[in-house]
Amino acid sequence: MVTRRRVFKILAALAIVVAAFLVYRSLGRYSLEEIRLSVGSIPQQRLLFAFAFVVGSYTCLSGFDWLAVRYAGHALLYRQVALASFCSLSIGHNVGMAALSSGAVRYRFYSRWGLSGEQVAKVIIFCGVTVGLGLVTLAGLALTITQGRGGDLLGINEVTAVTLGCICLLVPTLYLLICWRVERPLILYRWSFQPPSVWLALGQIAVGTLNFACVAACIHQLMLGISAVNYLTVATAYVTANIAALISHVPGGLGVLEATILGVLPIDASIGALVVFRILYFFVPLMVGVPTLVASEAYFRRQPRRRISKQPAG
C-alpha cells in the first residue's frame, strides 16, 4: 500500500510538471500577434457564449465523477467530487493518456476521502465508459438528425451516414439493456465489469452526451464569429476529431483536433477560432487547475486523514 501511494504521488507530481511545461510549449506554438488577431476577430459576445459552454462542459465532467463515485459505493459531497474532477481533467486533457495522468490525480483526492485503489479504478473505468457513451451518442444524433447531410462532410453518402448514425445510437441502447437485465459481473478475459444500475447508466448517457454537446457548442460559437456554419456540422466534425485525438494519444490532441476539424469542415472555417477554442477549453482550465492542485496538496497535508464511511451505490 505504501509503495502504491508513493507511485501515485510521483505520478501526480509528474503530471504537475508536465502540465506546466505544456502550457509553455503549447502557447509557444502561436505568436502573441496570432493569438491577439484570433481573439480580436471574434465578437466579444461569441467569446462569452463560448466560455459559458466551457464552464458547462467542465460542470458535466464533474457529473461523470459524481456518478462514478456512487457506482464505486460512496456518496461524497459534490464540492469534493467537483474539485477532484476539475484538477484531474484540466491536467489530463493537456497531458494526454488521460486514464493514467488524470487517474493519478484522482487517486490523490479520492484515497483521502476513503476510496480504495480498486474503487478509484472503478471510478476511472466508469468515467471512461461515460466518455465513450457520450461521444457515440452525440455522433449518432448528429448524423441522424441531419438526415445524412453529415455524409458530405465525412465523404460518405447519405444512406451510409444515416446507417452509421443508427449504429452509433444502438450502442447506448444495448448498454441500457445490459444494465437493466444483467445482474452479474461481465467477464472479459481477466477483466470483470459489474454493470451499474439502469438509473446510473441513463445518467452516464445524458451527462456524457451533454458534455460533448457543450464542447461542440463552444467551437460553434467561435466559428459563428467568422462564418455561418451549422451546429450539427460542427458537432459531427468535433466528434470525428475527438476520436482521432483519443486514438493518437497526443497530449491534449495538440494539432490533431485542429487538423481533423479543418479537414472535415467547410473551407471557410478559421484556424483562428480553433486557436481560441484551445485557449479557452484547454489552457485556461490548465492554468487554473495546476495551482488549485498545488494549493489543495498543501491544504490536505495540514489536515488529519479522514475516512468516509462506505455507502451503497445508487
Side-chain angles (χ1 to χ4, degrees), residues 93-158:
H93 282 165
N94 288 273
V95 174
M97 298 294 291
L100 181 61
S101 56
S102 64
V105 179
R106 278 190 173 109
Y107 181 84
R108 290 292 295 155
F109 282 103
Y110 290 135
S111 62
R112 294 187 182 105
W113 296 327
L115 277 72
S116 65
E118 180 181 352
Q119 289 171 321
V120 175
K122 287 183 178 180
V123 169
I124 295 171
I125 293 173
F126 186 93
C127 289
V129 172
T130 306
V131 168
L133 289 170
L135 273 175
V136 75
T137 303
L138 182 60
L141 290 173
L143 288 170
T144 54
I145 291 176
T146 56
Q147 297 180 349
R149 288 195 295 274
D152 295 335
L153 184 69
L154 301 176
I156 55 180
N157 60 47
E158 180 176 335

Side-chain angles (χ1 to χ4, degrees), residues 11 15 24 67 80 97 117 125 236 277 282:
L11 288 175
Y24 171 78
L67 292 171
Q80 293 175 300
M97 298 294 291
I125 293 173
T236 305
F277 165 71
F282 289 89

Side-chain angles (χ1 to χ4, degrees), residues 3 12 15 17 45 55 90 135 154 171 175 177 185 221 224 236 257:
T3 302
V17 173
Q45 183 181 18
V55 174
S90 63
L135 273 175
L154 301 176
V171 173
Y175 182 73
L177 286 174
Q221 286 298 313
L224 279 180
T236 305
L257 280 173

Side-chain angles (χ1 to χ4, degrees), residues 14 82 89 94 131 138 148 210 212 254 300 308:
L14 285 175
L89 293 175
N94 288 273
V131 168
L138 182 60
L210 183 58
F212 289 110
L254 194 60
F300 284 119
I308 307 298

Side-chain angles (χ1 to χ4, degrees), residues 3-313:
T3 302
R4 179 184 296 177
R5 287 177 184 171
R6 287 179 178 173
V7 169
F8 277 98
K9 282 182 180 180
I10 293 172
L11 288 175
L14 285 175
I16 293 174
V17 173
V18 172
F21 171 73
L22 284 172
V23 172
Y24 171 78
R25 190 193 71 172
S26 299
L27 284 176
R29 289 168 56 90
Y30 312 105
S31 68
L32 291 177
E33 183 66 13
E34 286 177 319
I35 294 174
R36 186 187 67 80
L37 290 175
S38 296
V39 174
S41 65
I42 299 172
Q44 185 177 13
Q45 183 181 18
R46 295 296 178 191
L47 284 173
L48 291 175
F49 283 148
F51 187 70
F53 282 117
V54 170
V55 174
S57 171
Y58 276 89
T59 301
C60 289
L61 290 171
S62 69
F64 285 26
D65 279 60
W66 187 79
L67 292 171
V69 168
R70 294 183 66 84
Y71 168 71
H74 280 66
L76 299 178
L77 296 175
Y78 174 74
R79 66 173 180 267
Q80 293 175 300
V81 173
L83 175 63
S85 172
F86 178 74
C87 288
S88 62
L89 293 175
S90 63
I91 293 173
H93 282 165
N94 288 273
V95 174
M97 298 294 291
L100 181 61
S101 56
S102 64
V105 179
R106 278 190 173 109
Y107 181 84
R108 290 292 295 155
F109 282 103
Y110 290 135
S111 62
R112 294 187 182 105
W113 296 327
L115 277 72
S116 65
E118 180 181 352
Q119 289 171 321
V120 175
K122 287 183 178 180
V123 169
I124 295 171
I125 293 173
F126 186 93
C127 289
V129 172
T130 306
V131 168
L133 289 170
L135 273 175
V136 75
T137 303
L138 182 60
L141 290 173
L143 288 170
T144 54
I145 291 176
T146 56
Q147 297 180 349
R149 288 195 295 274
D152 295 335
L153 184 69
L154 301 176
I156 55 180
N157 60 47
E158 180 176 335
V159 174
T160 303
V162 173
T163 302
L164 286 175
C166 291
I167 292 174
C168 287
L169 292 177
L170 186 61
V171 173
T173 302
L174 290 175
Y175 182 73
L176 283 174
L177 286 174
I178 290 173
C179 294
W180 177 38
R181 303 297 297 178
V182 178
E183 297 182 355
R184 65 175 184 270
L186 298 175
I187 307 298
L188 181 62
Y189 297 106
R190 297 181 180 179
W191 298 89
S192 65
F193 176 74
Q194 177 65 52
S197 69
V198 69
W199 296 110
L200 284 179
L202 282 169
Q204 283 181 279
I205 295 170
V207 76
T209 305
L210 183 58
N211 166 60
F212 289 110
C214 284
V215 181
C218 173
I219 300 174
H220 180 238
Q221 286 298 313
L222 295 173
M223 288 191 168
L224 279 180
I226 301 168
S227 62
V229 62
N230 181 271
Y231 170 75
L232 290 174
T233 298
V234 175
T236 305
Y238 171 71
V239 170
T240 304
N242 205 46
I243 292 172
L246 288 173
I247 293 173
S248 69
H249 289 305
V250 172
L254 194 60
V256 180
L257 280 173
E258 289 88 345
T260 307
I261 290 178
L262 290 175
V264 296
L265 276 177
I267 58 174
D268 57 359
S270 171
I271 186 64
L274 295 177
V275 171
V276 177
F277 165 71
R278 182 163 291 281
I279 292 172
L280 290 180
Y281 194 81
F282 289 89
F283 299 152
V284 171
L286 179 62
M287 288 186 285
V288 175
V290 170
T292 301
L293 175 59
V294 173
S296 66
E297 284 290 317
Y299 172 80
F300 284 119
R301 283 182 182 276
R302 295 184 175 92
Q303 303 300 312
R305 187 176 181 86
R306 293 181 297 176
R307 297 192 65 84
I308 307 298
S309 59
K310 187 173 181 179
Q311 300 180 23

